[in-house]
Amino acid sequence: MRLADAQVVSTRALLAARENIRAAIEAQAMICIYGQAGHGKSFAVNASLRELAPKLTRRIQFRARPSTRDLRHELFYALGLQGRPPAHAIEFDRMLRGALVEPRVLVCDEAQWLSKLCFEYLRYLWDDTDSALTIVFTGGNGCFEMLLSEPMLESRVYAWQEIGRMPLDEVLDVIPAFHPVWSEADLIALCDQEAAHGNFRAWAKITHHLTVGLQQAGRSRVDEELLRWAYSKLSSRQAA
């Protein structure tokens, strides 16, 4: 949201994700980091990989059920392979396996959209004896259940991490460090109880509305009236 003056804060979930990803890269393993929307899973994964493996990381993402042909082509472009994608599957597979001899970290975002055949194909690439591939599956609703329903894949997952809502004690600790608008506010607990509910995306949106409101009103500090104005802009579902 291009939130000026916002800072990356080391939540417990982010620190755990960093450690899980570090261990997975060392073991060239598969891991799954999942959770509901807005809890910070994608941010935790991206921030960790920017630190741990910025040059090795490649990302793929689908918004609808892809075929294995779609997956091959997405991998072709994500890996930066030269030339045209091979016309025949056996040639395509040979090319991808050859590319994955070099260490790579593949992030499969919104993994719940992958089909059984796509999961089988990723397992096939990872199982190759010459592969140096680490796979990070991330996703929201249904991601955990989808991977769990594939026994051959589930048995190979090195670590599972669910990223949930921040508890209130953590909110009180990290939100003042997240943005200076909260540095003197004594309304953090109220905001979390009434609107944010430990959801970091909700906190970011509320903070953005507050910075706009402070500027428009010519104020320097947050008060209860401005706070409620800010989170009145969230959907009723988020505020429930």
Side-chain angles (χ1 to χ4, degrees), residues 62-71 113-115 117-118:
F62 297 96
R63 293 296 183 183
R65 296 287 181 192
S67 65
T68 51
R69 180 183 182 277
D70 297 329
L71 180 57
W113 287 107
L114 295 176
S115 66
L117 290 176
C118 287

Side-chain angles (χ1 to χ4, degrees), residues 14-29 31 33 44-45 48-49 51-53 105 134 136 158-159 161:
L14 189 150
L15 293 174
R18 184 184 301 159
E19 175 57 25
N20 285 329
I21 292 170
R22 182 199 60 76
I25 292 171
E26 289 183 358
Q28 294 180 346
I31 65 170
I33 298 177
V45 169
S48 298
L49 286 171
E51 176 184 335
L52 297 170
V105 179
T134 300
V136 181
Y158 181 72
Q161 180 186 350

Side-chain angles (χ1 to χ4, degrees), residues 36 92 102-103 115 133 144 155 181 183 204 207 216 232 234:
Q36 299 297 312
F92 216 146
E102 297 294 325
S115 66
L133 179 62
F144 173 77
S155 67
V181 75
S183 62
T207 305
Q216 291 178 345
S232 72
L234 302 184

